[in-house]
Amino acid sequence: MRYEVIVIGAGMVGTSIAWHLQKHNSQVLLLDRKSPGSETSYGNAGLIQREAIHVHPFPRHFTELVRVLPNQNTDIRYRWPAVLRHHRALLQYWQFSAPSSVQKIEEEWETLIEHCTSEHQEMITAAGAENLIRRVGWIEMHRTEDKFKVAIAAAINMREQGIEHKVLSIDELKVLEPNGNFDGFIGAIHWSNSWQVSNPGALVKAYAKSFQEMQGSIAECNVKQILPDGDGWQVITDDATFYSDHLVVAAGPWSNQLIKPLGYDLPLFPMRGYHQHFDITPQNTINHSLVDMDKGFVMGPMQQGIRITTGAEMTLMNAAKDFGQLNAVLHFAKTILPLNNKVESEAWCGSRPCMPDMKPVIGAANKHDNLWFAFGHGHQGFTLGPITGRIVEELIHNKPLTVNVDPFNAQRFLIA
């Protein structure tokens, strides 16, 4: 069967792209090996982060490098096979993390982030998913005076971008979260116009259902190969072949392996995260996601339980699970809240797709017509899926663009 557009990848980004295209009268097929929202979009911290206008540079100060090198930190860990495999991308990451580069990157990044809640709202309304959204913000907690002062100064500067916050004393934090034990913390910042999602995977599934209600099609299958087919595309799966005029690759950390046979080799690298749920009790109920900034983990109230989400682990996609980072995180999490009964027998893990310049790839491929890329959103694919969907729809339908996509084009890494 032939479609106007095939979108490969049914995470938040791919599902949002399919939704926008179908809404604007394209006939769309959404392909993934699992049901929508079952991979990285399922396992994140469940935050739509309006305040996330700052990127996460590679450590450049000597003291920070010394802190990371022993590989025992709770916020970031690495495995040598992945470092060796992705050493060129990591070198580029280090280069792009120079302060002069970061300032320009953040200016470009902010053009996406500023639309995140408004674009989600359009899809939330259409999907009837208000029951999954809590507009209560989240709380950033600090243990050290120096970092807290820097964070407060940055928060004050962010007011110009419409980002709202309140600085909290520990006493004020305890009023908001009376079940928490905040010994060791000195203060917090409440980001009030970011949103909490009680079940991230369910939100993606709600968007996918809305897409289907507009007569969009979904197929669960493994994509084996993508081939040019005249002016369009042929997608060969394990049980069928599909044809389209346009093809969008939005497969997160799997994107590069799909496009590499076509002559593209972008410096995409995965960063793994883990999570574990614990039963919610009257003693550990929390009203907001709590982020321990010094230890690098999130405690979030979800439908499945209290979700503890780790920072990042640099590892290969097919590497065995290593629960060392999660166990270290849980040591600190259990000092904040009583977390006694695990919901799952084994913790979940998934990989985020990252680019060396900390920006996603959004736009046209440079070697083929009607081939479009939308991946590499790092930690913010869940936040940025809907605005990415709008942009890709505008590109394919040749409309005026909501956001200038020049900073996000694939050509910045491709060699002709």
Side-chain angles (χ1 to χ4, degrees), residues 361-372:
V361 176
I362 305 172
N366 72 325
K367 299 179 181 180
H368 298 84
D369 293 333
N370 302 327
L371 177 62
W372 309 88

Side-chain angles (χ1 to χ4, degrees), residues 81-389:
V83 173
L84 295 174
R85 168 83 64 86
H86 299 291
H87 70 278
R88 292 180 181 174
L90 291 174
L91 177 59
Q92 289 179 305
Y93 184 14
W94 183 83
Q95 292 169 333
F96 279 116
S97 296
S100 57
S101 296
V102 168
Q103 181 178 352
K104 183 174 185 295
I105 288 166
E106 290 188 338
E107 290 170 358
E108 296 163 344
W109 174 255
E110 188 187 345
T111 65
L112 295 174
I113 287 289
E114 67 176 316
H115 299 283
C116 68
T117 50
S118 59
E119 290 299 323
H120 264 285
Q121 186 58 60
E122 180 183 357
M123 296 181 68
I124 290 164
T125 300
E130 286 289 347
N131 63 306
L132 298 172
I133 311 301
R134 298 179 66 241
R135 293 172 179 78
V136 297
W138 62 277
I139 296 174
E140 169 184 318
M141 307 185 302
H142 286 268
R143 296 173 182 267
T144 60
E145 190 71 39
D146 289 346
K147 289 184 179 179
F148 190 35
K149 287 180 178 178
V150 170
I152 292 171
I156 292 170
N157 290 334
M158 290 161 68
R159 284 177 175 156
E160 297 178 1
Q161 284 77 41
I163 297 164
E164 301 168 4
H165 79 279
K166 180 181 179 182
V167 177
L168 303 175
S169 67
I170 294 300
D171 287 340
E172 290 171 321
L173 176 57
K174 287 180 177 177
V175 171
L176 291 177
E177 298 294 349
N179 284 330
N181 171 25
F182 301 112
D183 292 347
F185 292 94
I186 60 168
I189 297 174
H190 181 198
W191 299 104
S192 52
N193 57 345
S194 293
W195 297 350
Q196 170 79 54
V197 179
S198 62
N199 188 328
L203 184 62
V204 179
K205 291 182 188 303
Y207 290 170
K209 182 181 178 183
S210 176
F211 161 72
Q212 288 180 300
E213 289 170 349
M214 295 186 291
Q215 307 308 309
S217 301
I218 297 175
E220 290 182 36
C221 49
N222 285 304
V223 174
K224 300 293 188 182
Q225 194 174 14
I226 54 179
L227 297 170
D229 184 60
D231 293 333
W233 290 91
Q234 181 181 159
V235 179
I236 302 170
T237 73
D238 48 9
D239 56 8
T241 299
F242 302 98
Y243 300 88
S244 66
D245 301 327
H246 296 266
L247 177 64
V248 182
V249 178
W254 295 275
S255 297
N256 219 30
Q257 68 191 51
L258 290 172
I259 63 176
K260 202 166 186 178
L262 297 172
Y264 302 90
D265 189 13
L266 278 72
L268 181 71
F269 61 94
M271 295 292 277
R272 182 180 287 183
Y274 294 81
H275 82 223
Q276 179 80 61
H277 290 107
F278 291 84
D279 283 338
I280 297 176
T281 69
Q283 290 72 40
N284 68 15
T285 298
I286 51 177
N287 302 308
H288 307 79
S289 282
L290 306 176
V291 181
D292 187 329
M293 297 299 291
D294 295 87
K295 303 303 178 183
F297 67 91
V298 185
M299 313 175 71
M302 299 282 178
Q303 289 180 351
Q304 302 97 321
I306 302 291
R307 178 179 293 185
I308 310 301
T309 308
T310 67
E313 181 192 27
M314 178 77 187
T315 192
L316 298 176
M317 291 281 290
N318 60 354
K321 293 181 180 180
D322 181 344
F323 299 116
Q325 184 182 24
L326 177 63
N327 289 335
V329 160
L330 291 176
H331 168 76
F332 291 103
K334 289 179 179 181
T335 67
I336 302 170
L337 290 176
L339 303 170
N340 298 316
N341 299 316
K342 295 180 180 179
V343 173
E344 308 96 345
S345 59
E346 183 174 275
W348 175 92
C349 76
S351 295
R352 312 172 183 100
C354 301
M355 299 299 295
D357 63 353
M358 297 159 278
K359 297 182 298 184
V361 176
I362 305 172
N366 72 325
K367 299 179 181 180
H368 298 84
D369 293 333
N370 302 327
L371 177 62
W372 309 88
F373 297 155
F375 51 79
H377 294 71
H379 292 252
Q380 298 297 345
F382 190 75
T383 291
L384 294 176
I387 182 57
T388 302

